[in-house]
Amino acid sequence: MLLDPDAENDVAYELCQIVGRAILPYRSSDATGQRFGTAFFFQGTDDPVGESLLTAADLTGTPDGELGLRASVTEPAGVAPDAVADAEMRLGWARFPGDGVAVLPTGGLHRYAGDGGWRWRVQPVPAGIAAGPEVVARLGADASSAFVLAHGVREDGSRPLEVAIERVVRDGDAVGITTELPPGYVGAPVFIVQADPVGEVSLYCLGLVLPGVGAHPVATFDRIRAVLPATPGD
């Protein structure tokens, strides 16, 4: 569904209120340099053990990755560190390069916080809005409005939460953002608004941004869901 600019701005604002505290900056590096991306909390079930942190597989797998924290995602104020290193994440990332996705069960993150005297205060993306195959199938060659919540990278090194309003299309089994996104957006969640066959309009989390040049593939949630059961429990 392609929305008019005013409606797009309204959706972008609402998304920041609903899931803004699900989104966190992620950074890693390899021999070619630093890689900046975004990770987000996803609540797969009503049970807290169903919570995971999701990002793009290409960002993970190095020994020095770290998840940045904002004051709004922890409590009490002033206790949590500025970042959590991958080494503190207990089990570490489960990587699925074929799907482009990395998954981290968050039990270790919650224990790390408890040991440090603080708590996570996040708004995970709920399973109820994760796009199923029928949502993906309704996408086509005609562009739909897409909303990417990510932590960009400013010239001074800061990582503010941003919303990019873009376009998404489907070509066969491939779904993608039609333009190149700024640094820091890989791994970020992509949201769309879509009408079902009876005309009811709903918000969906389509998936997450994968690396690209000129455009970006999207790992859709039908693919993400397929790897979640294979993720080691915590």
Side-chain angles (χ1 to χ4, degrees), residues 41-85:
F41 282 79
F42 173 68
Q43 183 64 55
T45 67
D46 291 335
D47 190 325
V49 300
E51 185 185 77
S52 300
L53 193 67
L54 305 179
T55 193
D58 281 12
L59 294 173
T60 63
T62 63
D64 62 346
E66 66 174 25
L67 184 70
L69 302 184
R70 309 195 313 269
S72 62
V73 303
T74 68
E75 58 184 8
V79 178
D82 292 333
V84 179

Side-chain angles (χ1 to χ4, degrees), residues 53-57 60-61 91-97 100-105 227-228 230-233:
L53 193 67
L54 305 179
T55 193
T60 63
L91 287 182
W93 294 97
R95 301 177 69 248
F96 301 90
V101 177
V103 182
L104 177 73
V227 303
L228 287 176
T231 305

Side-chain angles (χ1 to χ4, degrees), residues 28-221:
S28 61
S29 63
D30 59 16
T32 64
Q34 291 197 81
R35 293 178 290 186
F36 296 95
T38 296
F40 65 99
F41 282 79
F42 173 68
Q43 183 64 55
T45 67
D46 291 335
D47 190 325
V49 300
E51 185 185 77
S52 300
L53 193 67
L54 305 179
T55 193
D58 281 12
L59 294 173
T60 63
T62 63
D64 62 346
E66 66 174 25
L67 184 70
L69 302 184
R70 309 195 313 269
S72 62
V73 303
T74 68
E75 58 184 8
V79 178
D82 292 333
V84 179
D86 273 2
E88 304 291 348
M89 295 184 185
R90 307 299 170 90
L91 287 182
W93 294 97
R95 301 177 69 248
F96 301 90
D99 296 290
V101 177
V103 182
L104 177 73
T106 59
L109 288 177
H110 287 286
R111 288 198 296 273
Y112 173 77
D115 291 346
W118 54 279
R119 298 178 299 277
W120 292 94
R121 183 174 173 265
V122 295
Q123 300 165 297
V125 174
I129 68 168
E134 72 286 351
V135 174
V136 177
R138 285 196 290 266
L139 294 172
D142 293 335
S144 295
S145 299
F147 306 85
V148 185
L149 268 66
H151 282 272
V153 184
R154 297 281 173 87
E155 290 186 2
D156 63 1
S158 61
R159 303 289 312 273
L161 180 63
E162 303 172 348
V163 183
I165 301 174
E166 303 292 345
R167 301 290 179 260
V168 64
V169 297
R170 180 173 64 87
D171 182 6
D173 292 333
V175 176
I177 300 290
T178 59
T179 56
E180 187 164 358
L181 293 165
Y185 278 64
V186 170
V190 181
F191 298 87
I192 60 171
V193 174
Q194 192 179 87
D196 65 18
V198 298
E200 185 173 346
V201 177
S202 300
L203 174 72
Y204 297 98
C205 185
L206 181 62
L208 63 82
V209 176
L210 298 179
V213 177
H216 289 271
V218 174
T220 53
F221 251 106

